[in-house]
Structures are given as C-alpha cells and as structure tokens.
Amino acid sequence: MSTTGATADPLAALGTLPGVAESVESVRKAVDRVYGHRVMRRRSSEVTSEAALRGARGSAALSGADWALEEVRRRTDFSGDDGARTVGAALRLTAEAGQLLSIWRQSPLRVLARLHLVAAATDDPRVGRPRQDGEPVDEPLVELPLPGASEVAGRLEGLAELIIAGGSAPALVTAAVVHGELLALRPFGSHNGLVARAAQRIVLVGSGLDPKAICSAEVGHAELGPAAYVAALDGYASGTPQGVAAWIAHCGKAVELGVRESTAVCEALQRGAA
C-alpha cells in the first residue's frame, strides 16, 4: 500500500491524490440519486436482494465463472464443476458479508478469515488462515509477483490497524485500498478475488455510503472487464501516486456502474416488471 508520505492518517492522504476527490464526489452523487428513487422508499429490500444476486454473479465472473444472471437465479445446486463452485462461493460470501459488518471495525482479520472459510467451504486446515511460504496460490487472474508469508502478515496487520483506528478517509478510498491490498497480497491459498470483493462490499456498506447494499461494485468490475481490472490493479501494486489514484478511480467507476444497475432494477420494479 502506498501513501503520499508519513501521516497519521495515510488512507486520508490518498484522498488528496490527483483525481481521487473527483471520483469520490462522483460516486457520492450517484449513490445519492439511486437512494432518492421513489422505489427505495417502499421496496428497498427487493432492490437489495437483486443487487446481492447481481453482485455475486459479477464477482464470480471475474473469478472465471461468467454465468448468465438467469442461470445464477435458477440454479440451486452449486456443487458440480469448478464454475458452479465459484458461483456458489460468491453467493455465500455476498450473504455472509452482511452478517460481519459489526465485527469488521473491531477485528478485520477475523472477518477475512471467516470470509475465506465461507468461500472455500472445506475442512482443509489451510483454510481461514494466511498462507505460509511454499503453499500454492490459485488465483489465475492476478499475475503479480507473490509476496512472501512474512510480508503478507506484516501488511495485513498494517491494514487491520488502519481500519481499527478509523480516520477521515472517504469510504471509496478505504474500500479500494482494502480490495487492492488483498488482491496484491493474495493472503489465502484460494478465493482471494472473491474475498477481496466481499471485503470491499463490507467497507462500502459499513461506512454508511451504501447502507442498504444496493450499489454492487462487483457488477461494475465485471462490466469493465478483467483486462481493465488487472491493469488497474497493476497500477495500485506499483505504489506510484498515479497508479494508486487510477485504481481508486477504477473502483469508483465500478460503484457507479453498480448504481446504474440498481437504478435499472428500481425502474423495472416501478413498471411492475421486476
């Protein structure tokens, strides 16, 4: 994780990078608009449910299981091939994320462990703990150099300290950093992308930016595509101010696309065509 220099609030410092304030303001306005939709006053729970389904589909797509939305909606058995298991993991994580909001600010590492347990759904002793040196990592989309176990542990502790300390950083900045760090570190042997995107969701919801979980950034990330996702992540991992700012902006665009998707859901509900 990069900052613009020594500061008591390094996440807030990232908000001063060129273009970041504009991304934060654009996201805030987009979120305010969808929350002001008349459907949200009466049927917000339906929008939340639909956003959860679409977000899980988007996250699974980035992890290699690019299923049609109606297939995700229709299926009840996700124990078949790798694609089915990935979609099932994404659905479980989306459901679990909402149960972990109160724990996140006190014990983010505990939440990450829980997310990995939920995603992997096995009794492998490596599940739910950071990987050790020599243990393989299955995350084909991300080809960045793999940090060693000691670096992973140190950076996770540093990230947890920042989250627990709180601060004045905008929700978008914190969510993007959490997401980027987890993808760059790949702390678990599997499902790192799914866990990173679930953690981003927790930050956006728990911060109060998206309290009803209707602005699924996962939808936007999938729409922007894996190539753009990886390119933006490379910028974050470079640690340069420009690269970090570009990653935050990419995450902001993903949230805005998620807002657009939920706005369409609101419109469909209003027309009676949910």
Side-chain angles (χ1 to χ4, degrees), residues 165-215:
S168 60
L172 173 64
V173 172
T174 303
V177 168
V178 167
H179 187 172
E181 279 291 283
L182 293 175
L183 277 179
L185 293 176
R186 283 144 293 163
F188 304 111
S190 63
H191 301 92
N192 289 287
L194 293 175
V195 168
R197 292 184 287 275
Q200 176 183 254
R201 169 181 285 266
I202 288 172
V203 174
L204 293 173
V205 174
S207 67
L209 176 66
D210 180 24
K212 295 185 183 294
I214 62 169
C215 307

Side-chain angles (χ1 to χ4, degrees), residues 221-248:
H221 284 302
E223 185 172 338
L224 292 167
Y229 188 66
V230 169
L233 177 64
D234 287 348
Y236 175 85
S238 74
T240 65
Q242 297 85 353
V244 174
W247 168 251
I248 295 170

Side-chain angles (χ1 to χ4, degrees), residues 91-101 114-115 118 202:
L91 288 166
R92 291 193 301 274
L93 282 174
T94 300
E96 187 72 13
Q99 310 303 313
L100 299 172
L101 296 172
R114 175 62 185 167
L115 290 174
V118 168
I202 288 172

Side-chain angles (χ1 to χ4, degrees), residues 41-151:
R41 294 196 294 270
R42 298 174 288 108
R43 304 178 70 178
S44 64
S45 61
E46 294 173 70
V47 182
T48 296
S49 295
E50 188 65 19
L53 184 72
R54 295 179 186 220
R57 192 217 72 82
S59 191
L62 284 172
S63 287
D66 192 0
W67 287 18
L69 178 63
E70 291 310 313
E71 177 67 6
V72 179
R73 196 190 305 279
R74 180 187 67 82
R75 286 281 286 268
T76 57
D77 181 7
F78 297 96
S79 62
D81 58 19
D82 287 346
R85 287 191 290 272
T86 296
V87 174
L91 288 166
R92 291 193 301 274
L93 282 174
T94 300
E96 187 72 13
Q99 310 303 313
L100 299 172
L101 296 172
S102 63
I103 305 172
W104 174 254
R105 287 295 296 270
Q106 285 74 44
S107 185
L109 297 185
R110 179 182 164 196
V111 169
L112 294 176
R114 175 62 185 167
L115 290 174
H116 190 235
L117 282 165
V118 168
T122 72
D123 56 5
D124 188 317
R126 293 173 295 181
V127 170
R129 65 155 174 80
R131 57 182 169 80
Q132 299 173 1
D133 284 328
E135 292 181 347
V137 174
D138 179 15
E139 199 65 46
L141 183 63
V142 180
E143 297 181 351
L144 292 168
L146 195 65
S150 61
E151 181 180 350

